[in-house]
């Protein structure tokens, strides 16, 4: 029989889980955590089909391929449409020759989903996206700040991830990441998304940005309703506007003889939406105070948005692309490894949407929390 394609029913989690385990990664988090899978692929407010936003390829009833889709509201300078992030695109070995993979992709490359974004692709798949005339992006820009007095801890982390390095080399790199700040003015900050976020903030942000719509519904789903991570909100009021920063604390683990051992703590910033340059400073000041209280060594941020990246550098974050040894700075912490933190992506864009670039005026607001990149391993 010919291979058929359809979206998964909600009672098929077990089939999908087994296929992920057998063909994607042994004991993948989606195989262990149904609530996380449901949160990711059962977003009913954004998905018009009955069932999971997860496509299946079947050959005579046998599952031979899968592709997950995470639908979202797409904003382009205030215009709203539907977009989708794709994830977990895998075909069984005996069906990798032929059209199965492309037909699976076509289940989400449909007129009502513009754009289609693959965030966090394997370098080996880059030629495939190029052949399909997708836009392959450079690695997502990453920024890092080490707290004053924590350079030694960062050097230890670098040494553990890069055992061939000398202690002196690791220390030198760590010191280049230290954010020096004196006379820190800690703001009066809230810890919740403002009730009037959409009217007072998102409308203005939307008019000058491109990407997933960061309205209150999205922020609440992405951070407040996450089934596993505890995100922390910093909200700094400025007149009628409010600057917003969202981050979480992550404990870094090292694997030794099959066992995980805690090494240190780090902050992962996933939203940085200041209302002004002064507001950016206040958000960073409050973040630094919270990091210190939690005992974290520092924090990192991934993002494409040009003005946001400029503000972070002005506030003392290191732009890792300007540091020769930046690939030695670990990003994977569960467990810690030294493979670097480059995140590659590809997308299929409609012609009226500007490309996502590394230019200082890039309008794409896109962070590590987009798609399913910020999730448990």
């Amino acid at each position: 029989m010919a291979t058929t394609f359809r979206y998964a029913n909600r009672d098929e989690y077990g089939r999908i889980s087994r296929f992920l385990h057998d063909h994607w990664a042994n004991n993948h988090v989606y195989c262990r955590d149904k609530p996380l899978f449901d949160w990711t692929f059962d977003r009913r407010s954004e998905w018009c089909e009955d069932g999971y936003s997860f496509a299946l390829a079947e050959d005579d009833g046998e599952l031979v391929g899968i592709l997950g889709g995470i639908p979202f509201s797409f904003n382009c300078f205030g215009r709203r449409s539907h977009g989708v992030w794709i994830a977990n695109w895998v075909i069984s070995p005996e069906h990798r020759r032929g059209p199965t993979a492309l037909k699976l992709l076509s289940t989400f490359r449909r007129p009502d989903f513009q754009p289609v974004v693959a965030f966090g692709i394997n370098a080996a798949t880059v030629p495939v996206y190029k052949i399909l005339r997708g836009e392959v992006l450079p690695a997502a820009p990453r920024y890092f700040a080490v707290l004053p007095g924590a350079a030694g801890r960062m050097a230890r982390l670098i040494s553990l991830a890069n055992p061939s390095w000398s202690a002196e080399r690791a220390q030198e790199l760590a010191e280049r990441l230290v954010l020096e700040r004196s006379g820190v003015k800690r703001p009066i900050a809230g810890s919740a998304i403002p009730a009037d976020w959409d009217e007072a903030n998102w409308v203005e942000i939307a008019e000058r940005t491109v990407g997933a719509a960061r309205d209150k519904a999205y922020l609440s789903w992405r951070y407040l309703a996450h089934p596993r991570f505890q995100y922390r909100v910093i909200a700094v009021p400025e007149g009628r506007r409010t600057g917003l920063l969202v981050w979480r604390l992550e404990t870094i683990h090292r694997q030794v003889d099959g066992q995980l051992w805690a090494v240190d703590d780090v902050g992962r910033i996933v939203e940085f939406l200041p209302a002004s340059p002064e507001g950016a400073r206040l958000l960073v000041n409050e973040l630094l105070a919270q990091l210190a209280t939690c005992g974290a060594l520092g924090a990192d941020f991934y993002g494409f948005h040009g003005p946001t990246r400029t503000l972070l550098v002005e506030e003392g974050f290191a732009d890792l692309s300007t540091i020769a040894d930046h690939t030695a700075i670990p990003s994977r912490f569960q467990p810690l490894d030294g493979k670097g933190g480059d995140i590659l992506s590809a997308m299929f864009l409609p012609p009226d949407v500007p490309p996502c670039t590394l230019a200082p005026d890039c309008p794409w607001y896109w962070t590590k929390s987009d798609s399913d990149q910020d999730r448990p391993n």
Side-chain angles (χ1 to χ4, degrees):
M1 290 180 61
T3 303
T4 58
F5 302 85
R6 63 179 178 86
Y7 299 113
N9 298 317
R10 291 191 179 94
D11 62 359
E12 294 185 287
Y13 167 75
R15 293 184 74 203
I16 298 168
S17 174
R18 287 190 295 273
F19 194 86
L20 277 168
H21 175 82
D22 292 341
H23 299 287
W24 182 266
N26 289 345
N27 206 28
H28 187 277
V29 66
Y30 288 146
C31 305
R32 310 189 310 268
D33 195 334
K34 186 176 184 294
L36 180 66
F37 183 93
D38 288 349
W39 176 85
T40 306
F41 300 108
D42 195 12
R43 195 179 176 203
R44 302 184 191 191
S45 63
E46 297 288 343
W47 181 241
C48 63
E49 306 287 343
D50 184 21
Y52 287 128
S53 54
F54 211 98
L56 309 181
E58 295 172 305
D59 186 352
D60 196 20
E62 178 189 359
L63 189 57
V64 298
I66 57 174
L67 176 62
I70 308 168
F72 64 92
S73 291
F74 178 66
N75 168 68
C76 184
F77 301 125
R79 292 182 289 112
R80 202 173 180 108
S81 61
H82 297 289
V84 65
W85 292 299
I86 55 173
N88 305 112
W89 188 16
V90 60
I91 313 297
S92 63
E94 60 273 19
H95 284 78
R96 288 175 187 167
R97 292 183 180 275
T100 301
L102 297 185
K103 287 186 176 181
L104 258 181
L105 180 60
S106 70
T107 61
F108 291 110
R109 285 194 70 189
R110 60 193 215 188
D112 53 335
F113 283 134
Q114 300 282 350
V116 176
V117 181
F119 185 24
I121 64 174
N122 189 303
T125 66
V126 166
V128 176
Y129 287 101
K130 288 183 176 179
I131 290 171
L132 296 175
R133 298 184 181 179
E135 178 187 351
V136 176
L137 277 60
R142 187 185 182 202
Y143 298 80
F144 209 112
V146 171
L147 296 186
R153 293 161 60 190
M154 186 66 193
R156 176 173 178 261
L157 189 68
I158 294 169
S159 294
L160 289 173
N162 303 274
S164 65
W165 278 38
S166 68
E168 292 76 17
R169 186 181 180 188
Q171 185 68 31
E172 180 181 353
L173 177 55
E175 289 175 356
R176 295 188 63 183
L177 306 177
V178 175
L179 189 159
E180 296 292 353
R181 182 73 61 90
S182 60
V184 173
K185 177 184 176 184
R186 191 168 181 179
I188 298 173
S191 58
I193 300 166
D196 64 349
W197 174 259
D198 289 350
E199 301 80 11
N201 297 278
W202 171 243
V203 169
E204 292 186 30
I205 296 169
E207 290 178 350
R208 60 179 188 270
T209 60
V210 176
R214 254 65 179 183
D215 58 14
K216 190 171 183 182
Y218 174 86
L219 296 173
S220 298
W221 165 76
R222 184 60 191 82
Y223 302 118
L224 307 186
H226 197 278
R228 293 296 169 255
F229 284 157
Q230 297 296 313
Y231 291 97
R232 304 167 190 237
V233 175
I234 300 174
V236 174
E238 288 188 72
R240 63 180 295 273
R241 292 285 311 278
T242 300
L244 199 69
L245 186 153
V246 182
W247 72 285
R248 65 178 178 84
L249 186 69
E250 180 167 351
T251 298
I252 303 164
H253 290 91
R254 182 188 184 197
Q255 190 166 40
V256 181
D257 297 330
Q259 299 292 317
L260 293 177
W261 299 87
V263 173
D264 216 320
D265 294 312
V266 68
R268 315 306 297 262
I269 305 167
V270 288
E271 295 288 343
F272 186 58
L273 291 164
S276 69
E278 175 59 24
R281 169 153 292 228
L282 295 176
L283 285 171
V284 171
N285 285 353
E286 180 61 20
L287 171 69
L288 296 178
Q290 292 189 15
L291 290 169
T293 298
C294 293
L297 63 83
D300 73 346
F301 174 80
Y302 286 86
F304 280 100
H305 188 239
T308 295
R309 288 156 38 208
T310 298
L311 287 172
L312 276 174
V313 172
E314 289 176 352
E315 292 308 315
F317 276 70
D319 177 354
L320 296 194
S321 69
T322 66
I323 297 175
D325 285 330
H326 75 273
T327 57
I329 299 169
S331 176
R332 300 170 185 172
F333 297 142
Q334 310 302 331
L336 174 68
D337 71 34
K339 295 179 181 177
D342 283 354
I343 304 177
L344 300 176
S345 305
M347 61 170 67
F348 302 97
L349 288 177
D352 59 341
V353 175
C356 182
T357 70
L358 300 183
D361 61 348
C362 176
W364 276 80
Y365 185 85
W366 173 348
T367 80
K368 192 173 184 286
S369 71
D370 285 47
S371 189
D372 69 343
Q373 285 300 293
D374 195 52
R375 57 163 172 72
N377 286 350

